[in-house]
Amino acid sequence: MSYLEDNFSLKGKLAWVTGASYGIGFGIASAFAKAGASIVFNDRSQEALEKGFKAYADAGITDVHGYVCDVTDEEAVNACVKQIEKDCGRSVDILVNNAGIIKRIPMIEMSAADFRQVIDVDLNGPFIVAKAVLPGMIKKNEGKIINICSMMSELGRETVSAYAAAKGGLKMLTRNICSEYGKYNIQCNGIGPGYIATPQTAPLRERQADGSRHPFDQFIVAKTPAERWGTPEDLQGPALFLASHASDFVNGHVLYVDGGILAYIGKQPG
Ligand code: NAP
Ligand code: GCO
């Protein structure tokens, strides 16, 4: 076996990426499949699931199981874990808590119900899914959990109070899972993507009526030293690192994959 095979291969591993019919989750799951893992994904509806199956098939990925399962529904998640173990013949080795939503509403106009819903999907969801797979990982004395955090795990901005609260919380849940279960050779890390071109951020990149780029699009490109939006592919290498043996002593860390946003004070005037 080569160094790369020993350290970065996911052969024989079962990886569950939540909400991975498209977008960042699909990008990460595709990389894991190429590295040899069997893939499990879930989505909220049969329609999204079918779209996901087609996307995996189009990418030549065939070792895939998909389930309709809402990550906020603890009973459904527990049933899904049982079904995964039955269908795949092993428990989950790698979990990526990717499923997430955002609501862009000024805080004083946001209802408590909307705030709760974002916290439910983006923070309670990862707790529920991680809680469901941890016993299998503890039994094997091995496991990897990757929580998809955000720039908003560190920064605030207008209109995203619930999202920032959830993603900040997810960063601390990451550290706490590491603290509580590191002794079982379980590594729980986060990835903090910068601004990535997916359906979630499509409204921020919409062309204006006069054909010019959305002001937020221009703002993000100016704020990113790489001077571009990221893509789901940009997250593949970092996710593979955190899912593989190469990162066995990396724990409780959030790896920001942001083209340099967090390092940058912003464009100088003039
Ligand atoms: P996306 O394009 O909106 O995809 C999100 C996925 O999560 C969809 O498949 C969605 O399914 C699924 N999902 C939502 N709620 C769910 C639930 N309750 N149960 C199961 N699945 C659910 O988002 P994305 O941009 O790929 O983002 C993926 C993750 O990265 C999110 O956690 C997001 O917050 C985070 N992130 C994104 C960016 C970015 O710039 N795009 C940056 C940092 C972090 P449906 O089709 O049913 O809605
Ligand atoms: C927003 C965006 C962000 C990104 C991402 C940044 O409205 O500001 O949607 O929150 O999606 O999470 O890392």
Side-chain angles (χ1 to χ4, degrees):
M1 292 265 264
S2 70
Y3 177 83
L4 280 179
E5 280 268 310
D6 281 345
N7 288 284
F8 288 96
S9 171
L10 300 184
K11 264 186 208 135
K13 301 292 185 194
L14 181 62
W16 180 6
V17 186
T18 65
S21 298
Y22 56 87
I24 290 174
F26 177 77
I28 290 175
S30 303
F32 288 179
K34 285 178 190 147
S38 305
I39 303 302
V40 168
F41 73 104
N42 68 291
D43 222 310
R44 282 183 292 194
S45 69
Q46 189 60 36
E47 196 192 343
L49 207 66
E50 296 304 334
K51 255 178 46 191
F53 277 124
K54 182 169 177 336
Y56 287 103
D58 289 349
I61 298 163
T62 51
D63 188 0
V64 186
H65 285 84
Y67 302 89
V68 174
C69 175
D70 185 321
V71 296
T72 65
D73 181 341
E74 187 166 21
E75 234 175 80
V77 168
N78 289 339
C80 191
V81 167
K82 280 207 181 101
Q83 196 59 44
I84 290 168
E85 291 178 358
K86 203 167 150 213
D87 295 344
C88 304
R90 63 184 289 121
S91 58
V92 173
D93 299 287
I94 301 159
L95 166 68
V96 182
N97 274 314
N98 168 76
I101 59 167
I102 190 165
K103 286 178 190 270
R104 299 180 184 99
I105 306 170
M107 184 173 146
I108 58 173
E109 292 166 24
M110 189 170 206
S111 68
D114 277 338
F115 191 91
R116 264 191 213 108
Q117 196 193 349
V118 175
I119 300 287
D120 206 21
V121 178
D122 294 0
L123 184 55
N124 292 341
F127 162 77
I128 288 170
V129 184
K131 184 183 161 197
V133 302
L134 273 165
M137 292 179 174
I138 292 168
K139 218 188 241 169
K140 283 194 267 202
N141 202 45
E142 185 170 80
K144 301 274 185 186
I145 298 177
I146 302 170
N147 291 326
I148 304 300
C149 299
S150 165
M151 294 291 88
M152 273 67 218
S153 299
E154 300 294 337
L155 302 170
R157 89 166 183 86
E158 298 83 348
T159 74
V160 299
S161 57
Y163 186 78
K167 294 295 189 178
L170 187 56
K171 174 179 71 177
M172 286 315 299
L173 180 65
T174 302
R175 291 182 181 162
N176 214 81
I177 294 173
C178 150
S179 306
E180 231 173 312
Y181 299 106
K183 63 182 173 219
Y184 298 107
N185 188 29
I186 292 166
Q187 291 83 47
C188 179
N189 291 290
I191 289 181
Y195 278 79
I196 311 295
T198 68
Q200 190 197 82
T201 53
L204 306 176
R205 284 177 285 105
E206 251 169 26
R207 286 271 163 189
Q208 303 299 278
D210 63 0
S212 63
R213 283 168 41 218
H214 194 296
F216 196 86
D217 177 358
Q218 298 183 38
F219 163 69
I220 286 303
V221 172
K223 186 81 188 86
T224 308
E227 294 187 349
R228 67 170 176 88
W229 284 70
T231 65
E233 289 72 28
D234 286 320
L235 301 167
Q236 292 180 326
L240 181 57
F241 167 63
L242 292 177
S244 66
H245 285 307
S247 62
D248 280 353
F249 204 55
V250 179
N251 213 349
H253 186 75
V254 180
L255 176 53
Y256 289 99
V257 184
D258 64 353
I261 292 177
L262 287 179
Y264 187 37
I265 195 168
K267 269 215 189 326
Q268 296 174 65

